[in-house]
Each structure stands twice: as C-alpha cells, then as structure tokens.
C-alpha cells in the first residue's frame, strides 16, 4: 500500500511515527481534509506543520505551502523526504537547473508537497502553470506576514488573496504563532477567510520560563552560564543567544574549553560551516 494513503491517524503513525495527535491537531486536520478553510493560532513548537502535512497526504493532488523562510523550508523538506514524502521547495536559493527539475516533477504530478516562497508564486504565469495540476490545498505558513499589525509584514503576502479567487475549491489553511486580536482579524480580512474555522490553542508554555539575573562582577556571566548548563542541563541540547557574532564565537570556544560541546552559528559564517553546525545541532544530543 502507498504509505501516504489512508486516514489521518494512519498517516500520523506510519509516515510521521507518532502515536497520538496533540491538542486540536486532529480537529484541524479533519476539517481541512473535508475541504474546509482554517486559521490556526498555535505557539511555536505546538505542532502546526502536521496540521497541513497530513491533509496534504490525505487529499488528492499537490499541496502548495507558502513560507517566507528559506531555511525553514529546506528543513521541512529534508524531514519530509526522510519520512518518504515527495516534497520539494522552490525559492531563490536553489542551485541552477534545480528549479526547472522541480517544475518538471510538479508537472508530472510527482510532488505531494511543494514549498514556495511568496514572491515566486506570483511571478508571471506561475499560477497558470500551477492550475494544470490538481491541487489538494494551500497552506499559508507564518500568516501574520500578511498583516501590517504583525511583526513581519511582507507585501507579497497581500497577493495571497488571489489564490482563493483563482482556485475557489482548493481549501486554505493559514497558520501563525502571533495571536493578538488585531493581527488575527487582519489575517481573516486580508486572506478572505471569513467562512473558515478559527482554531486558537493555548499559548501557555508551562515548560518555558524566564529568569533575570543582575549583572555582577563575580561570578562572571560566563561562569554563571557554565554553572547553569552543567548543573541544570547537563548533557542536554540548548541555544545561547549573544549580542554579536564575535561573542557567539568567543562563548562557544570558551564553553568547549570547559568540556561542553558548543559551536557558533551566525550569518557571517561560510554557508558550508553554518550548514554543518546546524546539522550537528539537529542530529546530535547534548550540543550547545
Ligand atoms: P510549529 O510549526 O507549531 O512551531 P512543529 O510543527 O515544528 O511546530 O512541531 C514541533 C515539534 O513537535 C516537531 O518536532 C514535531 O515533530 C512534534 N510534533 C508535532 N505533532 C506531534 C504529535 N502529534 N506527536 C508527537 N510529536 C509531535
């Protein structure tokens, strides 16, 4: 049997390897599988991706996922491919020839989930080409980008309204972790989601807390960081944010000298080195 065939629960188990849905995932997925539009407000890490990935595999045709973040797009596609899903990403960061290869695969109906940067979707003739393949759904990730009230307004997102006009029978699911009422209303308005269902998950994250420590000469901030890592989070993975690139490098080096597996990650690094560090962080345990 095709591993992507079947109902949501079967796909959750066989493709993604999870035993149960979380929170409202199942209700959202069933609503979209049935052809309904939805707006999903869920905190980061809440499990938004499955809310469109599972319907994409339940419904016939190709799902188009609009995402503004190229790095996230590539991570998602890599994870899906590893799970045996035929996923691809179209954006400005592809090596030459790759976009044409993906477009060919799309035309042949070989792609189940296509991640697309919004500016790409509205290039001349793109929607017309897309209209030639059956579409299962549109997922609009980081949907707050459509709103000027959100923290990351992207003018290209305003054009997403066209999708519904052009493909009225293809369900849409918009997802965001930005939940204030003004942004939410604006997303509904801008994407014309008035007939859709709105799902709001709890934004309480009992596993996350802030602690603030006053600056003092002794012990130094570094020493306190090391103490925090080695007593409270020994052997666990984590991220230390610093104010400058140089500081990330110095801090990682210092932590290494103290026996912690640490490395830096910032936009000034060579892309291979950055990718290698990201890869290690995702694969290995106990990396800072
Ligand atoms: P978001 O997009 O909301 O930030 P993700 O979709 O990336 O969150 O999911 C966060 C993490 O939770 C991922 O590692 C994902 O695999 C995991 N996850 C999502 N749904 C489930 C589930 N039903 N059971 C177990 N893990 C899940």
């Amino acid at each position: 049997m095709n591993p992507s065939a079947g109902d949501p629960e079967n796909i959750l188990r066989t493709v993604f390897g999870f035993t149960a849905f979380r929170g409202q995932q199942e209700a959202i997925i069933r609503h979209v599988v049935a052809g309904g539009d939805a707006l999903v407000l869920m905190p980061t890490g809440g499990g938004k991706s499955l809310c469109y990935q599972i319907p994409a595999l339940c419904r016939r045709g190709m799902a188009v996922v609009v995402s503004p973040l190229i790095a996230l797009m590539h991570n998602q596609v890599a994870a899906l491919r590893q799970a045996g899903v035929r996923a691809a990403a179209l954006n400005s960061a592809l090596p030459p020839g790759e976009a044409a290869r993906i477009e060919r695969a799309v035309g042949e109906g070989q792609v189940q989930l296509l991640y697309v940067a919004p500016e790409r979707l509205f290039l001349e003739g793109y929607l017309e080409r897309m209209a030639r393949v059956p579409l299962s759904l549109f997922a609009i990730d980081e949907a707050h980008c459509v709103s000027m009230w959100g923290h990351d307004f992207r003018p290209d997102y305003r054009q997403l309204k066209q999708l519904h006009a052009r493909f009225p029978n293809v369900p849409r699911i918009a997802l965001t972790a930005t939940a204030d009422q003004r942004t939410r209303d604006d997303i509904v308005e801008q994407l014309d989601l008035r007939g859709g269902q709105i799902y709001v998950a709890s934004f309480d994250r009992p596993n996350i807390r802030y602690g603030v420590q006053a600056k003092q000469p002794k012990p130094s901030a570094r020493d306190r960081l090391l103490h925090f890592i080695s007593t409270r989070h020994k052997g666990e993975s984590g991220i230390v944010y610093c104010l400058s690139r140089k500081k990330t490098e110095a801090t990682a080096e210092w932590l290494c000298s103290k026996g912690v597996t640490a490395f830096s990650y910032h936009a000034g690094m060579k892309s291979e080195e950055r990718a290698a560090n990201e890869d290690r962080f995702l694969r290995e345990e106990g990396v800072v």
Side-chain angles (χ1 to χ4, degrees):
M1 194 175 79
N2 177 346
S4 67
D7 73 327
E9 216 173 327
N10 188 34
I11 293 175
L12 178 77
R13 262 184 283 113
T14 56
V15 179
F16 296 96
F18 298 136
T19 47
F21 285 112
R22 265 194 204 156
Q24 293 174 294
Q25 276 178 335
E26 185 170 13
I28 297 165
I29 289 167
R30 295 208 180 272
H31 178 73
V32 177
V33 169
D37 292 332
L39 170 61
V40 174
L41 302 133
M42 221 184 245
T44 303
K48 287 187 285 300
S49 316
L50 287 188
C51 296
Y52 62 82
Q53 289 170 342
I54 292 183
L57 300 180
C58 287
R59 290 176 57 88
R60 201 177 78 83
M62 179 180 79
V64 176
V65 185
V66 181
S67 167
L69 301 167
I70 294 179
L72 280 188
M73 237 189 237
H74 284 292
N75 286 347
Q76 295 259 12
V77 168
L80 285 168
R81 285 196 182 155
Q82 205 152 37
V85 176
R86 285 175 275 122
L90 274 180
N91 53 54
S92 53
L94 294 176
E98 182 67 4
R101 201 190 59 73
I102 292 171
E103 295 235 6
R104 234 182 354 262
V106 167
E108 290 164 1
Q110 297 294 326
V111 177
Q112 294 169 298
L113 272 111
L114 181 68
Y115 285 75
V116 191
E119 62 277 9
R120 186 123 197 158
L121 203 54
F122 299 106
L123 286 181
E124 192 60 36
Y126 196 79
L127 289 185
E128 276 56 50
R129 285 207 297 286
M130 217 157 61
R132 291 184 212 145
V133 293
L135 297 177
S136 56
L137 61 93
F138 289 110
I140 298 155
D141 207 4
E142 312 291 347
H144 57 272
C145 293
V146 78
S147 173
M148 293 211 209
W149 304 122
H151 49 80
D152 195 13
F153 174 58
R154 311 231 171 181
D156 285 311
Y157 262 63
R158 285 282 160 115
Q159 299 198 58
L160 291 171
K161 206 174 196 166
Q162 290 178 39
L163 295 179
H164 188 48
R166 183 80 183 70
F167 304 93
N169 298 321
V170 178
R172 294 164 304 150
I173 172 170
L175 311 105
T176 178
T178 302
D180 68 86
Q181 190 66 44
R182 198 158 64 155
T183 310
R184 189 198 302 184
D185 293 345
D186 204 23
I187 294 171
V188 170
E189 171 72 27
Q190 294 300 331
L191 295 178
D192 196 5
L193 277 171
R194 253 166 260 112
Q197 186 83 37
I198 299 182
Y199 297 90
V200 187
S202 167
F203 276 72
D204 178 26
R205 308 276 299 269
N207 57 331
I208 293 184
R209 61 190 192 89
Y210 292 107
V212 178
Q213 294 201 11
K215 197 172 166 101
Q216 358 168 315
K218 275 192 171 168
S220 68
R222 268 183 172 183
D223 285 325
R224 278 186 279 167
L225 172 66
L226 179 64
H227 181 75
F228 175 74
I229 293 172
S230 52
T231 57
R232 306 256 295 271
H233 297 283
K234 202 171 174 54
E236 295 176 15
S237 301
I239 298 178
V240 178
Y241 289 91
C242 303
L243 280 178
S244 68
R245 294 168 177 181
K246 221 160 140 185
K247 195 81 186 270
T248 65
E249 288 172 7
T251 306
E253 226 166 84
W254 184 78
L255 285 173
C256 283
S257 78
K258 300 292 175 189
V260 177
T261 308
F263 39 73
S264 58
Y265 184 89
H266 58 72
M269 293 163 62
K270 287 205 191 75
S271 60
E272 310 85 74
E273 194 188 356
R274 203 152 69 118
N277 286 358
E278 182 180 342
D279 201 51
R280 277 192 66 189
F281 181 70
L282 292 174
R283 279 171 208 282
E284 287 177 31
E285 302 288 331
V287 170
V288 175

